Amino acid sequence: MNNRFEKPIVSFDGPFDKPLLSLVVPLFNERPMLPLFFDRVLPVLAKLDLYWEVVLVDDGSSDGSTQYIRDVIARTPGVRLVKLSRNFGKEAAMTAGLEHAKGDAIIVLDADLQDPPEQIPAMVECWQSGVDVVLMQRRSRAGETAFKRWSAHLFYRLLNRTSRTNIPVDTGDFRLMSRKAVDALLALQERNRYMKGLFAWIGMPTQVIQYDRECRVAGETKWDYPALVGLALEGLTSFSVSPLRWATMIGLIAASMGAIFGLWIVVKALMLGDATSGYPSLVAIISFLGGIQLMSIGIVGEYVGKTYIESKQRPVYLTDEVIESQDGARQQATRKTTEARHVKAV
Ligand code: UDP
Ligand code: MG
């Protein structure tokens, strides 16, 4: 077996002398963050010995983020903006970014700097050693409440219990993927894009790097608890049909308990001559069963709703415009010239 570590770059099989790294950055109303973002990301990229591009996906911002990015693009080669026609949500924005990224390796990064860009060189190094996916696992989560940490922990465990796809614990969307992994991901056509699940579904050789998640420097999180509960439900029902089975099981248990209880009442009446009493217990049982029935219908509804949305075959997002600097194109041209030179030299 050839030793992957002997070759400096093995995962790259593009036509150029150096691989292209794409950063995909979904953002929604992150205007206060953007100057800091570029201040921290661009120096890291400049130090890398590869071509790079930053694909920012503006997920319907209305706070001047778009204009700020336009100005940055005017003076920074290699930065591109994919502006969606409205807010489609982070999952759709990431899909848009991945579809527009041209890189041989692609890193998904939040605009709020909670995913430290200083980790990028380590991720690239890992990829160059031959893995397709470099997963970033949170060692700690600064600036998040104990309840959020606890609920996130519980959710990941529950998700992994219910689905056959193993979704790694404490990983977010921050990760590097090879071109092969991204192509595989984009081949998944579903409209309900629960990205953490889709990322895990494709499998492929993976390496985990641990990092300390930082606080949000400015702005505020776009996920309130109802949105998080929605995402959790989405995750559970996108990747497993176990909840349907739970509904059946709970129904079975409740029905058995009801039967045993009924039998017990009959026996008690026959043997002890005890007239059946108990209006309160009747009410309790009826509301308990009613609750279970409603919950089960709700679970079934989740799946019916998903099937309905899938059946409409709507696109995951709509692009309003793509803005790219002239120099960005020139950078691509440089890549081609280098390629020509490279071919000549061979
Ligand atoms: N985001 C997005 N569309 C949305 C919500 C969020 O593109 O509808 C972006 C947001 O701008 C940020 C990233 O997704 O870059 C993560 O969002 P946030 O920081 O609010 O989530 P958290 O880190 O709290 O999970
Ligand atoms: Mg964040």
Side-chain angles (χ1 to χ4, degrees):
M1 207 184 90
N2 69 340
N3 181 358
R4 290 178 147 170
F5 294 93
E6 272 171 20
K7 293 189 191 167
I9 293 165
V10 293
S11 306
F12 162 63
D13 48 7
F16 309 116
D17 62 334
K18 280 190 265 179
L20 173 69
L21 172 72
S22 303
L23 283 196
V24 167
V25 187
L27 63 101
F28 173 49
N29 289 344
E30 299 284 5
R31 175 65 187 82
M33 280 307 309
L34 290 172
L36 291 158
F37 176 80
F38 288 108
D39 278 356
R40 259 178 78 183
V41 168
L42 295 179
V44 173
L45 291 175
K47 279 198 208 112
L48 293 172
D49 183 29
L50 23 84
Y51 296 110
W52 55 264
E53 62 169 5
V54 181
V55 182
L56 298 147
V57 185
D58 178 3
D59 188 15
S61 300
S62 54
D63 66 342
S65 298
T66 321
Q67 190 50 46
Y68 183 85
I69 296 167
R70 272 179 205 274
D71 296 345
V72 171
I73 289 176
R75 54 174 198 268
T76 322
V79 179
R80 195 138 35 101
L81 175 69
V82 179
K83 186 173 176 301
L84 304 188
S85 62
R86 63 168 171 86
N87 178 255
F88 281 90
K90 188 184 175 189
E91 314 291 303
M94 275 193 283
T95 306
L98 292 174
E99 279 181 359
H100 282 84
K102 299 176 186 152
D104 304 300
I106 292 153
I107 293 179
V108 182
L109 191 80
D110 281 359
D112 60 3
L113 291 172
Q114 279 194 289
D115 308 331
E118 291 72 24
Q119 296 286 336
I120 292 174
M123 298 166 84
V124 170
E125 202 176 308
C126 224
W127 165 62
Q128 290 182 328
S129 74
V131 294
D132 281 295
V133 180
V134 183
L135 263 187
M136 302 306 285
Q137 190 170 40
R138 294 179 280 249
R139 198 184 300 136
S140 64
R141 301 162 71 121
E144 288 182 358
T145 59
F147 183 71
K148 184 161 181 189
R149 281 200 297 262
W150 175 79
S151 49
H153 180 83
L154 195 75
F155 168 68
Y156 282 117
R157 301 244 160 4
L158 182 65
L159 194 59
N160 280 332
R161 285 252 161 139
T162 55
S163 102
R164 289 181 61 197
T165 316
N166 192 19
I167 297 173
V169 181
D170 286 336
T171 54
D173 300 314
F174 186 27
R175 66 190 61 217
L176 178 147
M177 283 173 289
S178 67
R179 170 55 42 200
K180 191 168 100 187
V182 170
D183 286 346
L185 192 73
L186 294 178
L188 305 179
Q189 287 293 320
E190 58 226 78
R191 268 71 192 160
N192 292 293
R193 296 195 79 78
Y194 179 65
M195 291 303 268
K196 281 188 229 339
L198 298 182
F199 285 146
W201 188 88
I202 60 168
M204 303 218 180
T206 301
Q207 189 155 334
V208 177
I209 297 184
Q210 296 211 324
Y211 76 106
D212 296 306
R213 188 154 171 86
E214 296 182 14
C215 303
R216 211 174 218 287
V217 188
E220 47 188 57
T221 175
K222 311 291 177 299
W223 298 97
D224 46 9
Y225 274 106
L228 277 175
V229 170
L231 189 72
L233 265 182
E234 176 79 32
L236 279 177
T237 50
S238 289
F239 272 81
S240 144
V241 286
S242 305
L244 291 175
R245 221 160 287 150
W246 298 341
T248 316
M249 291 311 292
I250 295 174
L252 260 176
I253 294 170
S256 318
M257 276 169 33
I260 293 169
F261 187 56
L263 214 65
W264 162 242
I265 290 173
V266 173
V267 170
K268 213 165 84 167
L270 285 180
M271 290 176 51
L272 307 174
D274 187 12
T276 318
S277 64
Y279 171 73
S281 56
L282 209 64
V283 171
I285 290 168
I286 287 176
S287 40
F288 174 67
L289 285 182
I292 288 180
Q293 279 170 357
L294 280 181
M295 194 184 81
S296 309
I297 292 173
I299 294 173
V300 175
E302 277 286 323
Y303 289 95
V304 174
K306 282 217 157 56
T307 320
Y308 172 61
I309 289 169
E310 293 293 334
S311 71
K312 284 193 284 195
Q313 298 263 310
R314 285 191 186 155
V316 178
Y317 63 90
L318 281 185
T319 317
D320 184 17
E321 58 178 327
V322 178
I323 308 158
E324 196 171 2
S325 71
Q326 288 299 312
D327 285 354
R330 210 182 299 151
Q331 193 194 15
Q332 296 305 318
T334 323
R335 266 161 64 78
K336 289 207 179 85
T337 340
T338 334
E339 174 208 4
R341 226 183 292 135
H342 187 63
V343 171
K344 234 186 222 166
V346 173

